[in-house]
């Protein structure tokens, strides 16, 4: 009887150790390399472009902080909108982001990205440096990934900086231009996002 209890206890301890090791936070550079490897595999598939887009959307949903990027892209306008408008915006932005991201990336047959280094900016952010390997058709491209690390067990991508150009900042400037050119009416931004998603 004692041996059975001891065996049960030993199994319980081993399971707990395995769980601790499994849940241990992944490093930002490993997270990015894993993400780009998943993306590369999705693009290497001989499936249709539509199937690739759907798979890329899943990867983005799991690894990118779409909500956080959306709020950043809205800039100061996020302070002036109602709760209902904010909910509508989050839905429209997610649809817009996933379609834009997946459609553009699906054009690549097999992008090879190699992670080079990482730099901890503060307790909430780490910058991961990588390069898109050169081919006969394109030069090497430098890509930096801004990774949100506040929750070490749930790392999320907050921005991509391609050859020094921040995609999140570019998005923010584009949205601001749309709103400002329409007398500060955010509904014109909603309309643009919806039209793009429905194409």
């Amino acid at each position: 009887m004692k041996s059975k209890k001891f065996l049960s206890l030993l199994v319980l301890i081993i399971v707990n150790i395995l769980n601790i090791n499994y849940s241990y936070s992944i490093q930002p550079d490993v997270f990015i390399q894993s993400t780009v490897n998943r993306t590369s595999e999705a693009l290497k598939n001989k499936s249709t472009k539509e199937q690739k887009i759907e798979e890329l959307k899943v990867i983005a949903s799991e690894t990118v902080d779409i909500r956080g990027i959306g709020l950043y892209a809205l800039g100061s306008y996020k302070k002036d909108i109602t709760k209902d408008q904010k909910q509508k915006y989050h839905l429209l932005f997610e649809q817009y982001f996933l379609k834009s991201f997946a459609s553009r990336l699906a054009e690549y047959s097999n992008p090879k990205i190699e992670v080079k280094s990482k730099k901890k900016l503060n307790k909430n952010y780490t910058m991961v440096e990588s390069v898109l390997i050169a081919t006969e058709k394109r030069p090497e491209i430098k890509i930096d990934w801004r990774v949100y690390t506040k929750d070490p067990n749930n790392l999320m991508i907050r921005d991509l900086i391609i050859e020094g150009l921040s995609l999140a900042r570019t998005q923010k400037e584009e949205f601001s231009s749309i709103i400002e050119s329409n007398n500060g009416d955010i509904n014109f931004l909603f309309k643009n996002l919806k039209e793009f998603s429905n194409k």
Side-chain angles (χ1 to χ4, degrees), residues 40-138:
S40 181
E41 284 301 315
L43 292 170
K44 278 196 294 187
N45 273 333
K46 293 180 180 179
S47 52
T48 65
K49 183 178 179 181
E50 288 71 26
Q51 289 172 322
K52 288 181 182 180
I53 286 173
E54 290 308 310
E55 193 168 350
L56 291 168
K57 284 182 178 180
V58 171
I59 295 172
S61 297
E62 294 174 352
T63 59
V64 179
D65 184 6
I66 300 173
R67 191 180 183 89
I69 293 173
L71 284 173
Y72 174 81
L74 200 55
S76 60
Y77 293 102
K78 64 177 174 282
K79 300 175 184 176
D80 304 323
I81 61 177
T82 66
K83 186 178 179 181
D84 287 344
Q85 284 178 319
K86 189 172 284 189
Q87 288 177 341
K88 182 178 181 180
Y89 170 73
H90 282 311
L91 179 62
L92 289 171
F93 181 80
E94 181 176 12
Q95 293 170 343
Y96 162 84
F97 179 88
L98 289 175
K99 181 173 182 180
S100 175
F101 167 85
S103 299
R104 290 174 185 174
L105 202 53
E107 299 297 332
Y108 289 90
S109 57
N110 183 20
K112 293 183 179 179
I113 295 176
E114 183 179 328
V115 170
K116 295 293 188 180
S117 63
K118 63 179 177 180
K119 180 181 179 182
K120 186 174 180 179
L121 303 178
N122 51 52
K123 65 178 182 178
N124 291 336
Y125 287 101
T126 295
M127 193 69 78
V128 176
E129 297 181 358
S130 70
V131 292
L132 178 65
I133 305 298
T135 66
E136 292 179 356
K137 296 182 179 180
R138 66 163 186 263

